[in-house]
Amino acid sequence: MTEASRQFDFEGRIARDEKIEPNDWMPSRYRRQLVRMISQHAHSEVVGMLPEGNWITRAPSLRRKISLLAKVQDEAGHGLYLYGAAETLGAEREDLINRLLGGDARYSSIFNYPSVTWGDVGVIGWLVDQAAMVNQTMLTKCSYGPYARAMIQICKEENFHKRQGMEIMAVLSAGTSAQRAMAQDALDRWWWPTLMMFGPPDEESPHSSELIGWKVKMKSNDELRQWFVDLAVPQAEALDLQIPDPELVRDSKTGHWISGPINWDEFRSILEGEGPCNRERIESRRESHFGGAWVREAARAYEEKCRKKKALERESL
Ligand code: FAQ
C-alpha cells in the first residue's frame, strides 16, 4: 500500500468509529499527538497525588484516612495505566518520566495550587475529580483503543473519588460555622483553577481541531468546561455554598450557566512554571523518584532471579 492509500484507509476507519490499535498503521503525527496527550495525562495523575497526599497523615478520622489513602493510591494506578498506554505507541516510560523530572513536561495546571485545609481535600474530590471525569468520559469513546479502554476503568474510580469529596463537603457545609467557612474558602480558591483544567479557550487551543478531527478529543475545551459548570452549579446550591463568580448567570433560553471571565494570565503563568507550587511539585517528584531507586533496583533483581529460576526449571524438564 502507498502512504496515501494508508492515510485514506486510516481516515476511513476513524470516520467509521473503528478503534485504532497499537499494531495498526497510523500517521506519525497522530502517534506523536497521542504520546503528548497521554503522557501529560499520566504525569497529571502522578503529580496529582501530591496535594491530597499532603493530608493523609492529618485526615480527621480513621475512616477519612482509609478512603483518602485508597483514592491517592488509585491515582498512582491511573498513572500506571496511562504510561502503559503511551508505551503501546513506542514511547519509553523512562524518557517520559525523565522529562517530567527535568521540568520539561506538562501536567495539569490544577496541581500547582496548595492544599492548605481539609476543605481542600473535599473540594479536590468534588470538583477536580468531577472535572477530570467530565473530560475522561468523552475520552472513553476516543479513537485510540488502549487509551479509550484505560479511560473506562479510570472513570469508574473517579466516580468514587467524586463521591468521597462531595460527602466531605456535605459534612463540612452542614457543620459548625468554622467548618462551613472552611468549605466555602476551599471552593473560593479552587473554583477558577478547576475551570482552567479544561485548557485554553477553543480559539486559543492549537491542538483541538486536529485532535477532534481524529476523534481523539470528542468535544472542545469550552464544551467540556460548560458541561462541568452546568453540573457543578446545582451541586453547590445543594451544598448551600456560593460559587465565587458574581457574573454567573443562567441563560433562560439554553438552560446553561454562563461564567464570568476566566483569568487566563494566571493559567499562562502556571504553564510557564510560575504557579504557587510548580517548583515544589517537581522537587517532590524528584525526591520520591531518586529516593525510591533502591525499590526499582530490588524489583529488577527479583525479576531477574525469577527469570533464571524459570530457565533452570525448563532445562531440568
Ligand atoms: N494544564 O491545544 P490545547 C486528573 C496545555 S487528570 C497544563 O487545548 P489539548 C485526575 C496543552 O498541554 C487531569 N497544561 O491542548 C486527578 C498544550 O501544551 P503543549 C489531566 C495545559 O491537548 C484528579 C497547550 O496547553 N487530564 O485531574 C492545560 O488539545 C484528582 C495548548 O492546549 C488530562 O490530561 C492544563 N489544564 O487539550 C488526579 C486529560 N490545558 O503540549 C489526582 C487528557 C492545556 O502544546 C487528583 N488531556 N494545556 O505544550 C486532555 O483532554 C487535553 O490534553 C487537554 C488539553 C484538555 C488537557
Side-chain angles (χ1 to χ4, degrees):
M1 269 174 116
T2 63
E3 194 74 357
S5 58
R6 283 182 158 157
Q7 179 82 31
F8 184 76
D9 183 53
F10 172 83
E11 302 288 352
R13 294 185 63 195
I14 298 280
R16 291 190 298 275
D17 288 331
E18 286 176 26
K19 293 281 179 245
I20 307 298
E21 297 297 338
N23 292 331
D24 296 342
W25 185 88
M26 61 187 84
S28 57
R29 199 165 157 80
Y30 176 84
R31 187 185 298 275
R32 274 206 309 281
Q33 277 283 31
L34 277 170
V35 170
R36 179 190 67 81
M37 187 166 148
I38 298 174
S39 62
Q40 290 177 357
H41 195 168
H43 299 326
S44 304
E45 300 283 356
V46 171
V47 178
M49 289 192 282
L50 296 170
E52 289 166 292
N54 184 31
W55 280 89
I56 290 173
T57 54
R58 290 176 289 161
S61 70
L62 180 61
R63 178 174 160 255
R64 293 293 187 208
K65 189 192 282 253
I66 291 168
S67 43
L68 185 58
L69 265 171
K71 179 198 189 291
V72 172
Q73 189 174 309
D74 283 351
E75 310 297 359
H78 299 173
L80 286 177
Y81 302 151
L82 289 163
Y83 285 125
E87 283 175 320
T88 65
L89 291 154
E92 294 282 342
R93 185 178 308 209
E94 211 174 332
D95 290 348
L96 300 177
I97 291 174
N98 283 340
R99 286 199 56 216
L100 174 71
L101 300 176
D104 299 327
R106 292 211 190 287
Y107 57 87
S108 184
S109 49
I110 192 77
F111 301 117
N112 291 306
Y113 291 87
S115 54
V116 292
T117 72
W118 177 251
D120 293 19
V121 175
V123 107
I124 291 172
W126 168 38
L127 293 184
V128 176
D129 280 278
Q130 183 162 205
M133 211 165 67
V134 162
N135 175 294
Q136 291 167 173
T137 300
M138 294 317 301
L139 290 173
T140 62
K141 301 188 181 86
C142 86
S143 59
Y144 187 57
Y147 195 24
R149 290 189 287 274
M151 286 299 110
I152 293 172
Q153 179 63 22
I154 290 179
C155 279
K156 287 183 188 160
E157 293 173 2
E158 301 291 23
N159 200 25
F160 153 69
H161 300 168
K162 182 193 89 180
R163 281 154 189 257
Q164 68 87 39
M166 279 192 87
E167 204 243 351
I168 293 173
M169 295 306 280
V171 169
L172 290 178
S173 67
T176 62
S177 58
Q179 286 173 313
R180 282 191 51 73
M182 182 189 280
Q184 182 63 53
D185 167 63
L187 174 57
D188 291 349
R189 285 180 292 104
W190 288 85
W191 174 253
W192 292 106
T194 305
L195 298 193
M196 294 174 201
M197 274 178 80
F198 293 92
D202 291 352
E203 63 278 13
E204 289 169 31
S205 162
H207 301 296
S208 279
S209 62
E210 183 172 55
L211 291 176
I212 290 172
W214 280 328
K215 297 185 183 166
V216 172
K217 277 169 92 163
M218 307 299 287
K219 296 244 182 239
S220 77
N221 298 355
D222 287 332
E223 284 172 320
L224 291 177
R225 192 168 9 252
Q226 185 62 58
W227 181 11
F228 168 80
V229 172
D230 290 338
L231 286 172
V233 172
Q235 292 166 354
E237 276 172 8
L239 290 167
D240 198 16
L241 296 171
Q242 294 292 317
I243 301 279
D245 178 356
E247 293 181 42
L248 187 69
V249 54
R250 189 160 186 269
D251 181 326
S252 56
K253 285 205 189 96
T254 62
H256 289 307
W257 285 95
I258 309 301
S259 299
I262 295 175
N263 180 354
W264 291 112
D265 287 342
E266 179 177 318
F267 175 75
R268 280 187 282 271
S269 93
I270 290 189
L271 262 59
E272 282 158 21
E274 300 301 326
C277 298
N278 286 62
R279 285 180 191 82
E280 187 186 324
R281 297 294 184 233
I282 292 300
E283 200 38 52
S284 177
R285 284 307 314 144
R286 288 175 64 84
E287 260 178 52
S288 303
H289 186 79
F290 296 119
W294 67 273
V295 180
R296 291 189 294 280
E297 205 176 303
R300 270 194 295 269
Y302 181 69
E303 193 185 15
E304 180 61 12
K305 189 178 152 197
C306 293
R307 197 186 59 73
K308 280 188 182 151
K309 192 171 165 225
K310 273 201 187 123
L312 278 174
E313 280 167 4
R314 268 199 303 274
E315 271 171 29
S316 63
L317 279 178

